[in-house]
Amino acid sequence: MRGARLTVSLAVAGVVVAGTAACGQSADPSGPAEGEGGLTEVTVTLNWVPYGEHAPFYYGVEQGIFEEEGIDLTIQPGNGSGNTVQQVAQRNTDFGWADTPPLANAISSGMPVRSVGVFLQTGPSSVEFFADQGITEPADLVGKTVGGTPGDAMYGTFPAWLELNGVDPADVTVVNVDAAGKIAALIEGKVDAIQGFHHDQAPTIENQTGEEVDALPFADFGMNLLGTGLVANEALIADDPELVEAMVRATSRAFLAASEDPDAAVAAMAAGAEQAPDEAVLAAQLAATIDLLNLEDAPAPGVNTEEQWTDTLTFLSENTDFDGGTTPADFWDGAFGADQ
């Protein structure tokens, strides 16, 4: 990192309180229940409303992958990773699908949750903009306005990413924008660029405008933080490790199957998900998601290493006010490797 250490606030990237039952159906606090045919009824709450990254869950349900692992899966929309982690902590949902930096912040604040496997091993955080802006590197953001949402991981790490690339954060104007209005702010020209997940938002913006969208992924410019993955309550891990293992294995199988037949996965999600984008957008989002799985390096989707976790936690500790330490076992239970 160039220059003095930069300390920014990750407090806003932790827990977003949006009501204790914001994600819909609630899990039984005593644990998952047994349903018909001996299957265990399980809920997973997503990090956001359904988009292409989530297609493997719908494909796994359609193909019977979760059923083969003894799981009757209900997929619920989310309202941000911080809120999803809170739902897991309160046992309002059995599993969550959440981004790693907000998860780490929640755990450091005392929430009884753990990652049981991060799937997006290349983080999707980025700055996005229309291609005609001519932005090709972080230095090109000097003098620009960038829309960001307090409460997400990108907002908390953006200043550190700029400084890492030799840019004074004071030379870039961050405009606070609600998450739901970020894309509109870019389209309407209220900001020059936005902080976002490029695999999700870029295809959406291109579909709405017909214009080419480019991005500067944080991972391509010195800052790769582990992305989204499965989160479980410590009590569920302790009480029913077999179920946790089955959920991790089924999710891994579903992501691998979706990577092998993305068209079928898109069709399954289009048929099974409410509020989903149209199929062209889903296909582009899923294709970008598959690239972020790093399947050429990972033994299986969702399998992590201590080095990956240490690198992510160390970056947060050295470049933000995150003070949860750098011991992977405090944040991630590595016992649930997804055997294929």
Side-chain angles (χ1 to χ4, degrees), residues 255-271:
F255 268 79
L256 186 60
S259 73
E260 293 170 346
D261 195 345
D263 290 343
V266 166
M269 182 170 178

Side-chain angles (χ1 to χ4, degrees), residues 30-51:
S30 64
E34 185 172 309
E36 294 182 4
L39 299 178
T40 301
E41 295 179 350
V42 169
T43 54
V44 61
T45 298
L46 305 175
N47 56 315
W48 198 246
V49 295
Y51 61 91

Side-chain angles (χ1 to χ4, degrees), residues 76-273:
Q76 303 178 158
N79 188 30
S81 288
N83 189 65
T84 293
V85 173
Q86 183 185 40
Q87 298 305 311
V88 176
Q90 295 177 338
R91 304 203 73 178
N92 291 329
T93 186
D94 300 313
F95 294 92
W97 184 255
D99 195 25
T100 298
L103 169 65
N105 197 61
I107 292 171
S108 71
S109 73
M111 289 199 179
V113 296
R114 288 288 184 275
S115 169
V116 291
V118 174
F119 283 67
L120 270 62
Q121 300 193 22
T122 297
S125 295
S126 70
V127 178
E128 302 164 83
F129 40 85
F130 288 112
D132 61 10
Q133 289 270 25
I135 298 171
T136 61
E137 60 181 353
D140 294 331
L141 296 173
V142 171
K144 303 289 189 182
T145 56
V146 179
T149 300
D152 66 25
M154 289 160 290
Y155 193 92
T157 55
F158 181 64
W161 177 75
L162 288 174
E163 190 172 80
L164 182 69
N165 286 279
V167 178
D168 186 342
D171 292 336
V172 181
T173 301
V174 175
V175 178
N176 293 346
V177 182
D178 180 78
K182 204 179 319 189
I183 288 177
L186 179 63
I187 293 175
E188 294 168 8
K190 296 178 179 177
V191 295
D192 299 311
I194 58 173
Q195 301 166 11
F197 283 179
H198 64 86
H199 72 314
D200 166 21
Q201 293 173 327
T204 300
I205 298 167
E206 289 183 342
N207 180 260
Q208 291 183 14
T209 64
E211 298 182 39
E212 183 181 355
V213 175
D214 282 343
L216 300 179
F218 288 5
D220 288 354
F221 293 90
M223 194 185 85
N224 182 35
L225 304 179
L226 285 169
T228 46
L230 282 175
V231 180
N233 192 290
E234 290 179 343
L236 179 61
I237 294 172
D239 295 342
D240 200 345
E242 293 83 6
L243 176 62
V244 178
E245 183 175 359
M247 181 65 178
V248 174
R249 185 168 54 244
T251 304
S252 182
R253 291 178 56 199
F255 268 79
L256 186 60
S259 73
E260 293 170 346
D261 195 345
D263 290 343
V266 166
M269 182 170 178

